[in-house]
Amino acid sequence: MVKPIKIVVVYQSLLGIYGDRGNGMVLAKRLSWRGIASELIMVEPGQPVPTNGAVYLLGGGEDQAQIAAVDALRADGGLFRALDDGAVLFSVCAGYQILGNSFTVGDDDTVIEGLGLLDVDTRRGPVRAVGEVLSHWMTPEGDDYLLTGFENHGGYTTLGPKAAPFARVELGVGNRGDGTDGAVQGRVMGIYPHGPLLPRNPLLADYLLGVALDRRLEPLPNEQVNDELATLRHQRINVVRHTKSLSEDTRWLGERS
Ligand code: GLN
């Protein structure tokens, strides 16, 4: 019997306040639509992180939960072993920050050592980044694919030389208002937007599955699902761009009055 592909959603009780578990659900769903068996595993602190997963997911959360997640993941060690065996790790916001070298928490900006899986460092930024994000992700085929999501983070992230930006921001703050969002280093990836991100941006979901399975997945044959998603995505992109131009008009009026 073919073994199911394991999708592991890590520590929702700590890093689950933004509904990022939807990223795991959509990965499993898109495998099942292709007739590929999968298993969606939710693992919580105190339970061993399985070492034989194909994709691991971390979501967003609050500062103190980030410290607890780092401690539990370091003590468990399973995630590190899975990555050594070639697993893919996709993380969002708080989950992204804790993979770095360091991040800060609390009003006194205490520096916490991260898991060291991404060459990034996060420090509190001048203003909290809150709102819609629109960014451009380059597919392996060289196509420009728009990612839509929303961000809500106080930490601003700077990339070191070993990490490459994941996407180019058109609207929003992303890493730190420098026109980039997220980071990729081998099979470890992180980015700021929630949404959840993968249901909103299905090509990215298929890309992650392709990396995990070491093959490019054929597009889904389900025309209705594809069309509905495409329509929703275009509506969302138009709304975000329109809102952005409205807010620019308002700022301009404010400056002139
Ligand atoms: N606590 C982190 C910050 O504010 C991450 C927040 C989040 O996951 N949305 O930067």
Side-chain angles (χ1 to χ4, degrees), residues 18 59-63 66 92-95 97 128 152-155 192 194:
Y18 293 89
E62 286 155 357
D63 289 9
Q66 292 180 258
V92 170
C93 202
Q97 295 177 357
R128 192 165 183 85
N152 183 359
H153 54 102
Y192 271 108
H194 310 281

Side-chain angles (χ1 to χ4, degrees), residues 132-205:
E132 293 288 333
V133 193
L134 203 55
S135 64
H136 298 254
W137 168 64
M138 202 60 81
T139 70
E141 289 76 36
D143 296 325
D144 185 328
Y145 184 68
L146 272 172
L147 301 177
T148 88
F150 73 90
E151 62 185 339
N152 183 359
H153 54 102
Y156 280 35
T157 300
T158 304
L159 274 57
K162 288 188 227 140
F166 195 87
R168 183 172 55 79
V169 174
E170 176 184 321
L171 163 65
V173 174
N175 279 329
R176 56 188 179 102
D178 64 347
T180 69
D181 196 0
V184 49
Q185 195 171 324
R187 294 181 160 217
V188 180
M189 295 161 238
I191 194 162
Y192 271 108
H194 310 281
L197 190 64
L198 299 184
R200 277 200 191 195
N201 305 286
L203 220 65
L204 180 57

